[in-house]
PDB file of all heavy atoms in Angstrom:
ATOM      1  N   PRO F   1       4.923   2.581  13.882  1.00  0.00           N
ATOM      2  CA  PRO F   1       4.668   3.770  13.054  1.00  0.00           C
ATOM      3  C   PRO F   1       3.414   3.641  12.206  1.00  0.00           C
ATOM      4  O   PRO F   1       3.045   4.585  11.497  1.00  0.00           O
ATOM      5  CB  PRO F   1       5.917   3.814  12.151  1.00  0.00           C
ATOM      6  CG  PRO F   1       6.342   2.395  12.027  1.00  0.00           C
ATOM      7  CD  PRO F   1       6.031   1.764  13.362  1.00  0.00           C
ATOM      8  N   HIS F   2       2.739   2.509  12.285  1.00  0.00           N
ATOM      9  CA  HIS F   2       1.559   2.289  11.450  1.00  0.00           C
ATOM     10  C   HIS F   2       0.332   2.981  12.045  1.00  0.00           C
ATOM     11  O   HIS F   2       0.238   3.174  13.258  1.00  0.00           O
ATOM     12  CB  HIS F   2       1.299   0.788  11.307  1.00  0.00           C
ATOM     13  CG  HIS F   2       2.427   0.077  10.609  1.00  0.00           C
ATOM     14  ND1 HIS F   2       2.659   0.182   9.265  1.00  0.00           N
ATOM     15  CD2 HIS F   2       3.401  -0.752  11.083  1.00  0.00           C
ATOM     16  CE1 HIS F   2       3.723  -0.546   8.932  1.00  0.00           C
ATOM     17  NE2 HIS F   2       4.188  -1.118  10.037  1.00  0.00           N
ATOM     18  N   ASP F   3      -0.598   3.283  11.156  1.00  0.00           N
ATOM     19  CA  ASP F   3      -1.824   3.940  11.614  1.00  0.00           C
ATOM     20  C   ASP F   3      -2.900   3.702  10.549  1.00  0.00           C
ATOM     21  O   ASP F   3      -2.619   3.310   9.427  1.00  0.00           O
ATOM     22  CB  ASP F   3      -1.606   5.430  11.807  1.00  0.00           C
ATOM     23  CG  ASP F   3      -2.618   6.083  12.736  1.00  0.00           C
ATOM     24  OD1 ASP F   3      -3.576   5.366  13.153  1.00  0.00           O
ATOM     25  OD2 ASP F   3      -2.495   7.277  13.033  1.00  0.00           O
ATOM     26  N   ILE F   4      -4.119   3.950  10.923  1.00  0.00           N
ATOM     27  CA  ILE F   4      -5.229   3.835  10.000  1.00  0.00           C
ATOM     28  C   ILE F   4      -5.292   5.094   9.140  1.00  0.00           C
ATOM     29  O   ILE F   4      -5.132   6.216   9.656  1.00  0.00           O
ATOM     30  CB  ILE F   4      -6.542   3.610  10.771  1.00  0.00           C
ATOM     31  CG1 ILE F   4      -7.656   3.173   9.832  1.00  0.00           C
ATOM     32  CG2 ILE F   4      -6.919   4.807  11.603  1.00  0.00           C
ATOM     33  CD1 ILE F   4      -8.908   2.684  10.559  1.00  0.00           C
ATOM     34  N   LEU F   5      -5.454   4.939   7.838  1.00  0.00           N
ATOM     35  CA  LEU F   5      -5.568   6.093   6.968  1.00  0.00           C
ATOM     36  C   LEU F   5      -6.928   6.747   7.158  1.00  0.00           C
ATOM     37  O   LEU F   5      -7.938   6.065   7.391  1.00  0.00           O
ATOM     38  CB  LEU F   5      -5.410   5.697   5.501  1.00  0.00           C
ATOM     39  CG  LEU F   5      -4.064   5.116   5.058  1.00  0.00           C
ATOM     40  CD1 LEU F   5      -4.042   4.938   3.541  1.00  0.00           C
ATOM     41  CD2 LEU F   5      -2.900   5.979   5.507  1.00  0.00           C
ATOM     42  N   PRO F   6      -7.007   8.068   7.042  1.00  0.00           N
ATOM     43  CA  PRO F   6      -8.304   8.730   7.231  1.00  0.00           C
ATOM     44  C   PRO F   6      -9.342   8.335   6.202  1.00  0.00           C
ATOM     45  O   PRO F   6     -10.536   8.277   6.505  1.00  0.00           O
ATOM     46  CB  PRO F   6      -7.945  10.222   7.122  1.00  0.00           C
ATOM     47  CG  PRO F   6      -6.487  10.297   7.425  1.00  0.00           C
ATOM     48  CD  PRO F   6      -5.894   9.017   6.904  1.00  0.00           C
ATOM     49  N   ASN F   7      -8.909   8.064   4.977  1.00  0.00           N
ATOM     50  CA  ASN F   7      -9.818   7.783   3.874  1.00  0.00           C
ATOM     51  C   ASN F   7      -9.628   6.348   3.409  1.00  0.00           C
ATOM     52  O   ASN F   7      -8.542   5.957   2.964  1.00  0.00           O
ATOM     53  CB  ASN F   7      -9.569   8.751   2.722  1.00  0.00           C
ATOM     54  CG  ASN F   7     -10.561   8.592   1.588  1.00  0.00           C
ATOM     55  OD1 ASN F   7     -11.464   7.750   1.661  1.00  0.00           O
ATOM     56  ND2 ASN F   7     -10.405   9.382   0.539  1.00  0.00           N
ATOM     57  N   PHE F   8     -10.676   5.528   3.492  1.00  0.00           N
ATOM     58  CA  PHE F   8     -10.606   4.118   3.115  1.00  0.00           C
ATOM     59  C   PHE F   8     -10.134   3.952   1.667  1.00  0.00           C
ATOM     60  O   PHE F   8      -9.338   3.047   1.367  1.00  0.00           O
ATOM     61  CB  PHE F   8     -11.980   3.475   3.285  1.00  0.00           C
ATOM     62  CG  PHE F   8     -12.022   2.008   2.991  1.00  0.00           C
ATOM     63  CD1 PHE F   8     -11.586   1.077   3.913  1.00  0.00           C
ATOM     64  CD2 PHE F   8     -12.522   1.548   1.777  1.00  0.00           C
ATOM     65  CE1 PHE F   8     -11.636  -0.293   3.646  1.00  0.00           C
ATOM     66  CE2 PHE F   8     -12.584   0.192   1.491  1.00  0.00           C
ATOM     67  CZ  PHE F   8     -12.125  -0.744   2.432  1.00  0.00           C
ATOM     68  N   ALA F   9     -10.572   4.798   0.774  1.00  0.00           N
ATOM     69  CA  ALA F   9     -10.220   4.673  -0.641  1.00  0.00           C
ATOM     70  C   ALA F   9      -8.742   4.894  -0.897  1.00  0.00           C
ATOM     71  O   ALA F   9      -8.201   4.437  -1.907  1.00  0.00           O
ATOM     72  CB  ALA F   9     -11.043   5.632  -1.484  1.00  0.00           C
ATOM     73  N   ASP F  10      -8.048   5.569   0.015  1.00  0.00           N
ATOM     74  CA  ASP F  10      -6.635   5.854  -0.186  1.00  0.00           C
ATOM     75  C   ASP F  10      -5.730   4.645   0.035  1.00  0.00           C
ATOM     76  O   ASP F  10      -4.533   4.695  -0.272  1.00  0.00           O
ATOM     77  CB  ASP F  10      -6.184   6.989   0.752  1.00  0.00           C
ATOM     78  CG  ASP F  10      -6.756   8.343   0.370  1.00  0.00           C
ATOM     79  OD1 ASP F  10      -7.227   8.458  -0.794  1.00  0.00           O
ATOM     80  OD2 ASP F  10      -6.755   9.250   1.208  1.00  0.00           O
ATOM     81  N   ILE F  11      -6.282   3.561   0.567  1.00  0.00           N
ATOM     82  CA  ILE F  11      -5.466   2.384   0.828  1.00  0.00           C
ATOM     83  C   ILE F  11      -5.051   1.704  -0.479  1.00  0.00           C
ATOM     84  O   ILE F  11      -3.969   1.142  -0.581  1.00  0.00           O
ATOM     85  CB  ILE F  11      -6.255   1.347   1.675  1.00  0.00           C
ATOM     86  CG1 ILE F  11      -6.670   1.952   3.010  1.00  0.00           C
ATOM     87  CG2 ILE F  11      -5.442   0.070   1.892  1.00  0.00           C
ATOM     88  CD1 ILE F  11      -7.651   1.103   3.795  1.00  0.00           C
ATOM     89  N   TRP F  12      -5.866   1.789  -1.518  1.00  0.00           N
ATOM     90  CA  TRP F  12      -5.778   0.882  -2.658  1.00  0.00           C
ATOM     91  C   TRP F  12      -5.044   1.365  -3.903  1.00  0.00           C
ATOM     92  O   TRP F  12      -4.613   0.533  -4.698  1.00  0.00           O
ATOM     93  CB  TRP F  12      -7.211   0.439  -3.041  1.00  0.00           C
ATOM     94  CG  TRP F  12      -7.954   0.009  -1.813  1.00  0.00           C
ATOM     95  CD1 TRP F  12      -8.987   0.651  -1.199  1.00  0.00           C
ATOM     96  CD2 TRP F  12      -7.691  -1.147  -1.013  1.00  0.00           C
ATOM     97  NE1 TRP F  12      -9.390  -0.013  -0.080  1.00  0.00           N
ATOM     98  CE2 TRP F  12      -8.604  -1.131   0.060  1.00  0.00           C
ATOM     99  CE3 TRP F  12      -6.768  -2.196  -1.104  1.00  0.00           C
ATOM    100  CZ2 TRP F  12      -8.631  -2.130   1.041  1.00  0.00           C
ATOM    101  CZ3 TRP F  12      -6.785  -3.186  -0.143  1.00  0.00           C
ATOM    102  CH2 TRP F  12      -7.705  -3.134   0.910  1.00  0.00           C
ATOM    103  N   PRO F  13      -4.892   2.662  -4.166  1.00  0.00           N
ATOM    104  CA  PRO F  13      -4.220   3.061  -5.416  1.00  0.00           C
ATOM    105  C   PRO F  13      -2.769   2.578  -5.500  1.00  0.00           C
ATOM    106  O   PRO F  13      -2.055   2.527  -4.492  1.00  0.00           O
ATOM    107  CB  PRO F  13      -4.276   4.593  -5.362  1.00  0.00           C
ATOM    108  CG  PRO F  13      -5.414   4.912  -4.472  1.00  0.00           C
ATOM    109  CD  PRO F  13      -5.425   3.822  -3.438  1.00  0.00           C
ATOM    110  N   LEU F  14      -2.342   2.238  -6.701  1.00  0.00           N
ATOM    111  CA  LEU F  14      -0.947   1.843  -6.905  1.00  0.00           C
ATOM    112  C   LEU F  14       0.012   2.928  -6.470  1.00  0.00           C
ATOM    113  O   LEU F  14       1.102   2.644  -5.962  1.00  0.00           O
ATOM    114  CB  LEU F  14      -0.724   1.510  -8.380  1.00  0.00           C
ATOM    115  CG  LEU F  14      -1.183   0.139  -8.881  1.00  0.00           C
ATOM    116  CD1 LEU F  14      -1.007   0.063 -10.384  1.00  0.00           C
ATOM    117  CD2 LEU F  14      -0.403  -0.974  -8.201  1.00  0.00           C
ATOM    118  N   SER F  15      -0.396   4.169  -6.652  1.00  0.00           N
ATOM    119  CA  SER F  15       0.492   5.296  -6.312  1.00  0.00           C
ATOM    120  C   SER F  15       0.680   5.440  -4.807  1.00  0.00           C
ATOM    121  O   SER F  15       1.575   6.171  -4.368  1.00  0.00           O
ATOM    122  CB  SER F  15      -0.095   6.599  -6.869  1.00  0.00           C
ATOM    123  OG  SER F  15      -1.404   6.823  -6.333  1.00  0.00           O
ATOM    124  N   ASN F  16      -0.134   4.741  -4.015  1.00  0.00           N
ATOM    125  CA  ASN F  16      -0.037   4.856  -2.558  1.00  0.00           C
ATOM    126  C   ASN F  16       0.237   3.501  -1.897  1.00  0.00           C
ATOM    127  O   ASN F  16      -0.094   3.283  -0.745  1.00  0.00           O
ATOM    128  CB  ASN F  16      -1.322   5.478  -1.984  1.00  0.00           C
ATOM    129  CG  ASN F  16      -1.137   6.012  -0.577  1.00  0.00           C
ATOM    130  OD1 ASN F  16      -0.069   6.486  -0.226  1.00  0.00           O
ATOM    131  ND2 ASN F  16      -2.170   5.937   0.218  1.00  0.00           N
ATOM    132  N   GLU F  17       0.845   2.572  -2.644  1.00  0.00           N
ATOM    133  CA  GLU F  17       1.152   1.274  -2.068  1.00  0.00           C
ATOM    134  C   GLU F  17       2.166   1.424  -0.929  1.00  0.00           C
ATOM    135  O   GLU F  17       2.938   2.371  -0.884  1.00  0.00           O
ATOM    136  CB  GLU F  17       1.720   0.343  -3.140  1.00  0.00           C
ATOM    137  CG  GLU F  17       0.649  -0.193  -4.079  1.00  0.00           C
ATOM    138  CD  GLU F  17       1.132  -1.393  -4.870  1.00  0.00           C
ATOM    139  OE1 GLU F  17       2.214  -1.295  -5.478  1.00  0.00           O
ATOM    140  OE2 GLU F  17       0.443  -2.417  -4.851  1.00  0.00           O
ATOM    141  N   ASN F  18       2.150   0.460  -0.027  1.00  0.00           N
ATOM    142  CA  ASN F  18       3.033   0.472   1.137  1.00  0.00           C
ATOM    143  C   ASN F  18       2.849   1.732   1.976  1.00  0.00           C
ATOM    144  O   ASN F  18       3.802   2.252   2.555  1.00  0.00           O
ATOM    145  CB  ASN F  18       4.485   0.313   0.712  1.00  0.00           C
ATOM    146  CG  ASN F  18       4.742  -1.011  -0.002  1.00  0.00           C
ATOM    147  OD1 ASN F  18       4.316  -2.063   0.458  1.00  0.00           O
ATOM    148  ND2 ASN F  18       5.401  -0.968  -1.163  1.00  0.00           N
ATOM    149  N   ASN F  19       1.593   2.211   2.056  1.00  0.00           N
ATOM    150  CA  ASN F  19       1.275   3.345   2.915  1.00  0.00           C
ATOM    151  C   ASN F  19       1.342   2.912   4.372  1.00  0.00           C
ATOM    152  O   ASN F  19       1.548   1.733   4.696  1.00  0.00           O
ATOM    153  CB  ASN F  19      -0.092   3.923   2.558  1.00  0.00           C
ATOM    154  CG  ASN F  19      -1.207   2.893   2.644  1.00  0.00           C
ATOM    155  OD1 ASN F  19      -1.556   2.441   3.741  1.00  0.00           O
ATOM    156  ND2 ASN F  19      -1.753   2.480   1.493  1.00  0.00           N
ATOM    157  N   LYS F  20       1.167   3.842   5.279  1.00  0.00           N
ATOM    158  CA  LYS F  20       1.395   3.576   6.700  1.00  0.00           C
ATOM    159  C   LYS F  20       0.402   2.584   7.306  1.00  0.00           C
ATOM    160  O   LYS F  20       0.639   2.060   8.390  1.00  0.00           O
ATOM    161  CB  LYS F  20       1.386   4.864   7.521  1.00  0.00           C
ATOM    162  CG  LYS F  20       0.054   5.590   7.563  1.00  0.00           C
ATOM    163  CD  LYS F  20       0.177   6.865   8.394  1.00  0.00           C
ATOM    164  CE  LYS F  20      -1.130   7.636   8.452  1.00  0.00           C
ATOM    165  NZ  LYS F  20      -1.003   8.871   9.271  1.00  0.00           N
ATOM    166  N   GLU F  21      -0.705   2.326   6.607  1.00  0.00           N
ATOM    167  CA  GLU F  21      -1.650   1.341   7.127  1.00  0.00           C
ATOM    168  C   GLU F  21      -1.191  -0.089   6.851  1.00  0.00           C
ATOM    169  O   GLU F  21      -1.599  -1.013   7.523  1.00  0.00           O
ATOM    170  CB  GLU F  21      -3.060   1.555   6.538  1.00  0.00           C
ATOM    171  CG  GLU F  21      -4.079   0.581   7.087  1.00  0.00           C
ATOM    172  CD  GLU F  21      -5.512   1.054   6.964  1.00  0.00           C
ATOM    173  OE1 GLU F  21      -5.739   2.274   6.820  1.00  0.00           O
ATOM    174  OE2 GLU F  21      -6.421   0.206   7.034  1.00  0.00           O
ATOM    175  N   ILE F  22      -0.338  -0.268   5.846  1.00  0.00           N
ATOM    176  CA  ILE F  22       0.082  -1.614   5.450  1.00  0.00           C
ATOM    177  C   ILE F  22       1.198  -2.094   6.374  1.00  0.00           C
ATOM    178  O   ILE F  22       2.304  -1.553   6.363  1.00  0.00           O
ATOM    179  CB  ILE F  22       0.567  -1.649   3.983  1.00  0.00           C
ATOM    180  CG1 ILE F  22      -0.508  -1.004   3.069  1.00  0.00           C
ATOM    181  CG2 ILE F  22       0.900  -3.059   3.562  1.00  0.00           C
ATOM    182  CD1 ILE F  22      -1.880  -1.645   3.191  1.00  0.00           C
ATOM    183  N   VAL F  23       0.911  -3.113   7.164  1.00  0.00           N
ATOM    184  CA  VAL F  23       1.892  -3.667   8.099  1.00  0.00           C
ATOM    185  C   VAL F  23       2.789  -4.678   7.387  1.00  0.00           C
ATOM    186  O   VAL F  23       3.976  -4.767   7.686  1.00  0.00           O
ATOM    187  CB  VAL F  23       1.175  -4.325   9.289  1.00  0.00           C
ATOM    188  CG1 VAL F  23       2.178  -4.903  10.278  1.00  0.00           C
ATOM    189  CG2 VAL F  23       0.281  -3.302   9.999  1.00  0.00           C
ATOM    190  N   TRP F  24       2.235  -5.442   6.484  1.00  0.00           N
ATOM    191  CA  TRP F  24       3.049  -6.310   5.626  1.00  0.00           C
ATOM    192  C   TRP F  24       2.275  -6.665   4.384  1.00  0.00           C
ATOM    193  O   TRP F  24       1.095  -6.969   4.437  1.00  0.00           O
ATOM    194  CB  TRP F  24       3.450  -7.599   6.347  1.00  0.00           C
ATOM    195  CG  TRP F  24       4.402  -8.426   5.515  1.00  0.00           C
ATOM    196  CD1 TRP F  24       5.659  -8.084   5.137  1.00  0.00           C
ATOM    197  CD2 TRP F  24       4.147  -9.718   4.956  1.00  0.00           C
ATOM    198  NE1 TRP F  24       6.221  -9.072   4.361  1.00  0.00           N
ATOM    199  CE2 TRP F  24       5.317 -10.101   4.236  1.00  0.00           C
ATOM    200  CE3 TRP F  24       3.069 -10.589   4.984  1.00  0.00           C
ATOM    201  CZ2 TRP F  24       5.423 -11.320   3.569  1.00  0.00           C
ATOM    202  CZ3 TRP F  24       3.161 -11.808   4.316  1.00  0.00           C
ATOM    203  CH2 TRP F  24       4.333 -12.167   3.622  1.00  0.00           C
ATOM    204  N   ALA F  25       2.946  -6.582   3.240  1.00  0.00           N
ATOM    205  CA  ALA F  25       2.354  -6.929   1.965  1.00  0.00           C
ATOM    206  C   ALA F  25       3.345  -7.755   1.140  1.00  0.00           C
ATOM    207  O   ALA F  25       4.562  -7.553   1.223  1.00  0.00           O
ATOM    208  CB  ALA F  25       1.974  -5.679   1.180  1.00  0.00           C
ATOM    209  N   ILE F  26       2.827  -8.687   0.359  1.00  0.00           N
ATOM    210  CA  ILE F  26       3.653  -9.419  -0.585  1.00  0.00           C
ATOM    211  C   ILE F  26       3.820  -8.535  -1.801  1.00  0.00           C
ATOM    212  O   ILE F  26       2.849  -8.096  -2.415  1.00  0.00           O
ATOM    213  CB  ILE F  26       2.995 -10.765  -0.968  1.00  0.00           C
ATOM    214  CG1 ILE F  26       2.825 -11.639   0.282  1.00  0.00           C
ATOM    215  CG2 ILE F  26       3.827 -11.496  -2.007  1.00  0.00           C
ATOM    216  CD1 ILE F  26       2.072 -12.933   0.030  1.00  0.00           C
ATOM    217  N   GLN F  27       5.077  -8.258  -2.162  1.00  0.00           N
ATOM    218  CA  GLN F  27       5.381  -7.261  -3.182  1.00  0.00           C
ATOM    219  C   GLN F  27       5.458  -7.899  -4.575  1.00  0.00           C
ATOM    220  O   GLN F  27       6.161  -8.873  -4.777  1.00  0.00           O
ATOM    221  CB  GLN F  27       6.733  -6.621  -2.867  1.00  0.00           C
ATOM    222  CG  GLN F  27       6.854  -6.066  -1.458  1.00  0.00           C
ATOM    223  CD  GLN F  27       6.095  -4.802  -1.244  1.00  0.00           C
ATOM    224  OE1 GLN F  27       6.303  -3.837  -1.972  1.00  0.00           O
ATOM    225  NE2 GLN F  27       5.230  -4.768  -0.235  1.00  0.00           N
ATOM    226  N   PHE F  28       4.717  -7.291  -5.495  1.00  0.00           N
ATOM    227  CA  PHE F  28       4.817  -7.680  -6.895  1.00  0.00           C
ATOM    228  C   PHE F  28       5.344  -6.482  -7.691  1.00  0.00           C
ATOM    229  O   PHE F  28       5.221  -5.336  -7.254  1.00  0.00           O
ATOM    230  CB  PHE F  28       3.465  -8.126  -7.421  1.00  0.00           C
ATOM    231  CG  PHE F  28       2.973  -9.406  -6.791  1.00  0.00           C
ATOM    232  CD1 PHE F  28       2.288  -9.393  -5.593  1.00  0.00           C
ATOM    233  CD2 PHE F  28       3.252 -10.623  -7.390  1.00  0.00           C
ATOM    234  CE1 PHE F  28       1.868 -10.575  -4.981  1.00  0.00           C
ATOM    235  CE2 PHE F  28       2.833 -11.818  -6.790  1.00  0.00           C
ATOM    236  CZ  PHE F  28       2.144 -11.789  -5.609  1.00  0.00           C
ATOM    237  N   CYS F  29       5.935  -6.763  -8.840  1.00  0.00           N
ATOM    238  CA  CYS F  29       6.581  -5.667  -9.559  1.00  0.00           C
ATOM    239  C   CYS F  29       6.672  -5.981 -11.053  1.00  0.00           C
ATOM    240  O   CYS F  29       6.780  -7.143 -11.454  1.00  0.00           O
ATOM    241  CB  CYS F  29       7.975  -5.422  -9.008  1.00  0.00           C
ATOM    242  SG  CYS F  29       8.660  -3.814  -9.456  1.00  0.00           S
ATOM    243  N   SER F  30       6.638  -4.936 -11.875  1.00  0.00           N
ATOM    244  CA  SER F  30       6.681  -5.089 -13.318  1.00  0.00           C
ATOM    245  C   SER F  30       8.111  -5.095 -13.814  1.00  0.00           C
ATOM    246  O   SER F  30       9.048  -4.666 -13.132  1.00  0.00           O
ATOM    247  CB  SER F  30       5.923  -3.930 -13.975  1.00  0.00           C
ATOM    248  OG  SER F  30       6.589  -2.706 -13.719  1.00  0.00           O
ATOM    249  N   VAL F  31       8.299  -5.553 -15.041  1.00  0.00           N
ATOM    250  CA  VAL F  31       9.605  -5.521 -15.681  1.00  0.00           C
ATOM    251  C   VAL F  31      10.086  -4.084 -15.810  1.00  0.00           C
ATOM    252  O   VAL F  31      11.267  -3.756 -15.588  1.00  0.00           O
ATOM    253  CB  VAL F  31       9.566  -6.202 -17.056  1.00  0.00           C
ATOM    254  CG1 VAL F  31      10.876  -6.005 -17.802  1.00  0.00           C
ATOM    255  CG2 VAL F  31       9.245  -7.676 -16.915  1.00  0.00           C
ATOM    256  N   GLU F  32       9.162  -3.197 -16.145  1.00  0.00           N
ATOM    257  CA  GLU F  32       9.523  -1.801 -16.328  1.00  0.00           C
ATOM    258  C   GLU F  32      10.133  -1.191 -15.066  1.00  0.00           C
ATOM    259  O   GLU F  32      11.097  -0.451 -15.116  1.00  0.00           O
ATOM    260  CB  GLU F  32       8.263  -1.003 -16.719  1.00  0.00           C
ATOM    261  CG  GLU F  32       8.513   0.482 -16.911  1.00  0.00           C
ATOM    262  CD  GLU F  32       7.234   1.250 -17.218  1.00  0.00           C
ATOM    263  OE1 GLU F  32       6.162   0.612 -17.295  1.00  0.00           O
ATOM    264  OE2 GLU F  32       7.305   2.479 -17.374  1.00  0.00           O
ATOM    265  N   LYS F  33       9.582  -1.565 -13.897  1.00  0.00           N
ATOM    266  CA  LYS F  33      10.056  -0.979 -12.646  1.00  0.00           C
ATOM    267  C   LYS F  33      11.213  -1.743 -12.045  1.00  0.00           C
ATOM    268  O   LYS F  33      12.078  -1.163 -11.384  1.00  0.00           O
ATOM    269  CB  LYS F  33       8.908  -0.918 -11.634  1.00  0.00           C
ATOM    270  CG  LYS F  33       7.774   0.014 -12.035  1.00  0.00           C
ATOM    271  CD  LYS F  33       6.662  -0.035 -11.006  1.00  0.00           C
ATOM    272  CE  LYS F  33       5.498   0.846 -11.378  1.00  0.00           C
ATOM    273  NZ  LYS F  33       4.367   0.756 -10.408  1.00  0.00           N
ATOM    274  N   CYS F  34      11.218  -3.076 -12.208  1.00  0.00           N
ATOM    275  CA  CYS F  34      12.142  -3.889 -11.430  1.00  0.00           C
ATOM    276  C   CYS F  34      12.986  -4.853 -12.257  1.00  0.00           C
ATOM    277  O   CYS F  34      13.742  -5.638 -11.677  1.00  0.00           O
ATOM    278  CB  CYS F  34      11.365  -4.686 -10.389  1.00  0.00           C
ATOM    279  SG  CYS F  34      10.392  -3.663  -9.258  1.00  0.00           S
TER     280      CYS F  34
END
C-alpha cells in the first residue's frame, strides 16, 4: 500500500507522520500524547 508522496516537503511534518511513503519508522512519543 506504500507509495511515493507527490510533494517531498509533505514527508516531514509531525502532522503527517507515518504517511504512506513511510515503510517503517522508529516511533517516538511525548508524555502528553502517550
Side-chain angles (χ1 to χ4, degrees):
H2 298 287
D3 202 354
I4 192 169
L5 297 187
N7 185 0
F8 183 80
D10 289 343
I11 301 170
W12 312 109
L14 281 174
S15 59
N16 198 33
E17 285 196 308
N18 299 312
N19 56 70
K20 66 181 179 180
E21 182 158 339
I22 308 305
V23 180
W24 186 64
I26 299 175
Q27 308 285 305
F28 293 85
C29 198
S30 65
V31 173
E32 179 184 0
K33 295 178 182 178
C34 302

